[in-house]
Each structure stands twice: as C-alpha cells, then as structure tokens.
Amino acid sequence: MEQDMAGAARVVALGNDGDGIAETLAGRIFVPGAIPGDTVQPGPVQATHAVLERVITPSPDRVTPPCALFGQCGGCRVQQMALPALLAWKAGRVTEALQRAGFATIPTPATVQVAPQERRRVDLAFRREGRRIVLGLHRRRGDVVDMTACTLLDPTLFALLAPLRDMLHSLPGVHAGGDLQINLLDSGPDLLITMDGTPDANDRRILAQFSKAHGIPRISLGGTPPETLALNGPVFHHFDGVRVTPPPGAFLQPARRGEDAIRAAVLAALPTKGLKAGIIELYAGCGTLSFALATHAKVLAYEGDRAALACLKQASGGTRVLPALRDLNRQPVMAAELAKAAAVVLDPPHAGAGAQMAQIVAGKPRHVIYVSCNPTALQRDLTPLQQLGYRLERLTVIDQFLWSTEVEAVCVLKLPGTGKNHRR
C-alpha cells in the first residue's frame, strides 16, 4: 500500500542494508540514499520504504559520491557518506551485535579501513547486449551495469575489464552471458569464467591467446571441479612468506591491507603461555592465517573444501601446519579435542560456525579467537560463549569492503580460570 508523506523527516540511523531510517509522523521508514543527520523530503511510502525526493539539510557526514556509477551499480550502497563516519557505523554494528549477545563490557574497538582502489577480488556478471558485452555488477535488484568506472578495484584489475569485454564477445561458447571471478594473486590475475555454452577448440585458442597477451597465468572454467582452459605460467600466492598455489576461485581476502590487519589482530591475541598444546584452526582455507599461526605453535588446520585443503597440504611441508579435511558442519571437531588446545581460531563462512559452535561451547577452550564477516552470525555464535562466562578481551573492526554494509571483526574471548577450574 502506498502512503503519501508530507513534510520533512529527520534521518536518525542507517539500516543494515545501508538505507537511511527516518522518523515521520507515521513512524520510522527506510529511505535509500539518506544518511544519519540528513533532513529529507521522502516520497510516497510503499510498505516500509520511501524514495528520497530531495535532501533538505545535508548531514555533516554527507559527501559527493566519488564514482560516476553510484546509484546505478550495485557495488556501493553508501558512497554519499564520509569514510570515517562509515567506519564508525560499521564498528557500531559489531558492538551492537556483541551487546545483543549479552556482553556487558565491550572494549573500545581498534579500527582499520583500507583505501580506495585496493580491492583485489571481484565477482562480475557479463551479458550480451547487441554487438557488445556488458561486464560489471548487478544494480540493486536489477540488470548488470557496465563497469566503466570503479573507485574500489585495484587499477590492474580495472585495466583488464576493457580487453575482457572484447575477448568475451569473441567467445563462441558465450551465448547470452555468464559470470567471471577474478583474484589478483602474487603471480597475476587469476580468472574463473562460467559461460552458458560449452567451450570448444576456438574458445580455448582465444583464451590461450588472451592469457598470453595480458600476462594472465591461468584461466579456468567454472564447474565441479573447475577446468583449466589456459595456463600461461606458474600460479602462486604468498601467506606469511609461504608460497601456495590457490585453486581456481579460491577465497582471498578482498584487500591485502585488510588481510594483514586480520592476521595481526589474531596473532596479537594468542596466549603467551601454554602454546605447546598447539592451536586448532577451523575453516583454514588455503592458509591465510595458518602459516602465521605456525610461527608461534603447532597448528592443526581443519578445512572442508578439498581443493583448498590440497593447496594447504601442498604448501605445509617444513612448517608446523598439520592440515586435515573436515566438513565442520557435518563432522565438527569434538569438544574433547578443542578443550586441549592452547587456543581455538576460527574464521567461519558468512552463515557462521553452525554445528561446530556447539562443540566449542561444550569443550570450553580457554582462548577463542573468532574472525567474523557477519554481525548477525557473530551475535548468534557468541551468545552461548557469553552465557558460559567468556569475557571479550579485545575487539578489532576492519572495513575492507568500502562503501558497502559489509564489515569484518576479530573478537578475542577468554574463559576466566585455569586448569580444571574453568571446565566445570
């Protein structure tokens, strides 16, 4: 039902999706494009949302969006908000999640924010439109917007988009379109293409030529498992000085500075005593944290993805990393094993730790270091730890998804007491 709004409305908060929350006589409404501190004129309300007709008085934190595609491309929700204010809002989201989890005392978060043009991982869509390829991100609940500008991407990746359009247009295996994931590894861009046709010899020839011409070591075809279509040199990346060969489409933190901040926060949280018992790392991936942790103690690194585990295992020779294949939701590491660890480090997927969290709760390891990419899952997973008496010792908030609503956090938890006294 549509409802007309009359008069100005004060925007008092930002919702989890990045829409302004405005106070009106009819109650609170969401106004996309508005930010806290704005006084706005909202348009007609449909359900709980209204169009922003105009900003009457701008917030002190309102800025001119730096990208010409803002408002069209779905990649950035809040470019109209100054970055320091956006970082403070993200830190507030994490703090509020921890408060809802029951923590009465929350340390002031250390905060890190990456710079523009540091994004080294991107998932794009491409579509044929007449005689051209449109390559970019989907507009909010809409079609693909051609990424002719970007304030986020590393310049190396952005420079690749124009020749990619021409190359994709020439592929016989691309009918209507597909998807493209790019990771900027230390060896160069690593491409994973999903197309709606079956690649033939011509596709492979074109891809091999493109790979060689643009210094791309590997181009792979999406599938289970992915298939290498073009190989033009070694594929490698480094984690804490250890060289690994990530599989196609491997998880990579979106910015190197963000990855460094997460690693530093995790290492700073390790206990100073008792490390001979070893560290248990859950959701280890290709070793983003594993090799750094191994400079302090033996690391039993669990990972459920076979390709990531193979990468980790191949690189772990001569280190104190002991990789193990485990679907942690179907077959979690059990409480008795977790209880013996000097520290449990976990970096779960967006949905959270699932069944694995119940075993952590049952095991009561004294030190838990939780890396979060989702405040909602963070609240759900840490609530039972708070109820057990865990204290939140340290908090780091990392913004490596500029101008979006996504936020990373490293939470350091400790269960007071020693030895048998803390496992009643």
Side-chain angles (χ1 to χ4, degrees), residues 282-295:
L282 307 171
Y283 312 98
C286 293
T288 305
L289 299 173
S290 309
F291 300 108
L293 290 169
T295 62

Side-chain angles (χ1 to χ4, degrees), residues 163-307:
L164 271 169
R165 290 185 184 91
D166 294 336
M167 185 273 291
L168 291 169
H169 180 71
S170 69
L171 288 178
V174 173
H175 301 158
D179 299 293
L180 173 64
Q181 183 186 93
I182 312 175
N183 276 335
L184 184 55
L185 305 178
D186 291 341
S187 55
D190 189 41
L191 276 59
L192 179 64
I193 299 175
T194 303
M195 58 184 76
D196 56 352
T198 302
D200 60 14
N202 285 329
D203 292 280
R204 295 171 188 274
R205 175 183 54 78
I206 292 168
L207 289 167
Q209 291 174 345
F210 184 82
S211 171
K212 187 174 182 180
H214 294 277
I216 299 170
R218 180 176 64 188
I219 301 177
S220 305
L221 178 69
T224 308
E227 177 190 356
T228 299
L229 297 180
L231 191 63
N232 186 49
V235 177
F236 60 87
H237 198 66
H238 293 88
F239 293 127
D240 208 59
V242 176
R243 177 163 159 159
V244 303
T245 303
F251 173 79
L252 189 70
Q253 291 289 352
R256 186 178 296 276
R257 193 183 313 192
E259 178 185 292
D260 291 345
I262 292 171
R263 185 185 297 112
V266 169
L267 294 181
L270 291 176
T272 55
K273 297 180 180 179
L275 282 172
K276 286 186 178 179
I279 298 166
I280 290 181
E281 183 190 10
L282 307 171
Y283 312 98
C286 293
T288 305
L289 299 173
S290 309
F291 300 108
L293 290 169
T295 62
H296 294 261
K298 176 183 67 177
V299 179
L300 188 52
Y302 288 98
E303 171 56 41
D305 182 84
R306 290 182 180 275

Side-chain angles (χ1 to χ4, degrees), residues 1-79:
M1 182 177 180
E2 189 173 285
Q3 177 184 351
D4 288 331
M5 300 298 300
R10 179 76 173 171
V11 181
V12 296
L14 205 63
N16 289 344
D17 288 336
D19 297 333
I21 302 175
E23 297 276 14
T24 73
L25 294 176
R28 287 191 165 192
I29 59 169
F30 292 95
V31 185
I35 64 171
D38 281 342
T39 301
V40 301
Q41 175 63 59
V45 178
Q46 289 189 330
T48 58
H49 287 70
V51 173
L52 174 60
E53 288 197 346
R54 66 187 180 100
V55 177
I56 298 171
T57 304
S59 165
D61 296 320
R62 179 172 281 277
V63 296
T64 301
C67 182
L69 293 180
F70 178 69
Q72 303 173 52
C73 172
C76 295
R77 295 282 183 88
V78 278
Q79 274 202 350

